[in-house]
């Protein structure tokens, strides 16, 4: 699926992946989290209900090459795999302004608010993230920490 802005093809509720879920897909140091992240991403690819943003792809590449010391070519191939198989939202000025509003109202960081803005803009019912407040609903999307016990 080469179309970077393809429509979600499933009638299942759309899910948005924070970059930390993508990172755990590549992180072999925590087998439990890698297994969960891999299953979520595989399900999203199979069902066509996954969404990520350009911000998530950038953060993923930065973290896996800097913190996990992943080979840059291997990291690039994973970015390509994600973007070829999961719907990608391009960060735009309206999304940035929405993120500012979310940040003001929720006290989340701007970057976390940008994730929530992109998820809300695409109609995602769930945002998978380890870093945000589990079970909180922001902009119609429920934050879910898939690693919570």
């Amino acid at each position: 699926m080469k179309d970077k802005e393809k429509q979600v093809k499933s009638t299942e509720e759309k899910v948005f992946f924070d970059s930390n879920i993508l990172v755990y897909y590549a992180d072999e140091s925590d087998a439990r989290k890698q297994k969960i992240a891999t299953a979520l991403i595989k399900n999203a690819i199979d069902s066509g209900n996954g969404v990520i943003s350009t911000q998530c792809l950038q953060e993923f590449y930065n973290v896996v090459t800097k913190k996990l010391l992943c080979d840059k070519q291997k990291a690039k191939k994973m970015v390509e795999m994600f973007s070829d198989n999961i719907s990608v939202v391009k960060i735009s000025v309206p999304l940035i302004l929405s993120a500012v509003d979310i940040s003001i109202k929720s006290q989340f960081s701007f970057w976390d608010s940008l994730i929530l803005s992109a998820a809300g803009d695409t109609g995602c019912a769930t945002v998978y993230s380890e870093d945000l407040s589990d079970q909180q609903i922001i902009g119609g999307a429920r934050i879910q920490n898939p690693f919570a016990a």
Side-chain angles (χ1 to χ4, degrees), residues 8-10 12-16 43-45 47-51 124:
V8 174
K9 64 184 174 188
S10 173
E12 288 185 46
E13 291 184 335
K14 292 189 272 184
V15 298
F16 194 97
N43 182 57
I45 290 170
S47 68
N49 71 335
V51 182
C124 291

Side-chain angles (χ1 to χ4, degrees), residues 51-71:
V51 182
I52 54 178
S53 68
T54 51
Q55 172 194 358
C56 294
L57 293 173
Q58 293 165 3
E59 290 177 357
F60 167 80
Y61 180 83
N62 188 56
V63 170
V64 298
T65 58
K66 301 281 188 211
K67 292 185 180 178
L68 300 183
L69 304 177
C70 182
D71 175 77

Side-chain angles (χ1 to χ4, degrees), residues 13-16 116 119-120 123-129 132-146:
E13 291 184 335
K14 292 189 272 184
V15 298
F16 194 97
L116 296 168
C124 291
T126 302
V127 175
Y128 289 118
S129 177
L132 299 170
S133 300
D134 192 36
Q135 300 305 313
Q136 187 171 1
I137 298 173
I138 304 282
R142 179 178 304 279
I143 299 165
Q144 184 175 343
N145 179 350

Side-chain angles (χ1 to χ4, degrees), residues 15-107:
V15 298
F16 194 97
F17 293 99
D18 192 348
S19 57
N20 53 55
I21 307 301
L22 304 181
V23 169
Y24 281 118
Y25 175 89
D27 187 356
E28 297 175 356
S29 71
D30 191 325
R32 178 182 155 281
K33 287 184 179 180
Q34 185 181 41
K35 182 178 178 180
I36 292 168
T38 299
L40 289 172
I41 291 167
K42 182 182 181 325
N43 182 57
I45 290 170
D46 290 347
S47 68
N49 71 335
V51 182
I52 54 178
S53 68
T54 51
Q55 172 194 358
C56 294
L57 293 173
Q58 293 165 3
E59 290 177 357
F60 167 80
Y61 180 83
N62 188 56
V63 170
V64 298
T65 58
K66 301 281 188 211
K67 292 185 180 178
L68 300 183
L69 304 177
C70 182
D71 175 77
K72 290 181 179 183
Q73 285 298 325
K74 182 178 177 183
K76 179 183 177 189
K77 288 191 183 300
M78 284 187 272
V79 168
E80 289 171 337
M81 185 277 297
F82 291 138
S83 63
D84 285 348
N85 292 286
I86 300 174
S87 183
V88 178
V89 177
K90 292 180 183 176
I91 298 302
S92 64
V93 172
L95 288 179
I96 292 168
L97 294 173
S98 172
V100 170
D101 289 339
I102 291 168
S103 179
I104 291 167
K105 292 175 188 170
S106 70
Q107 301 301 306

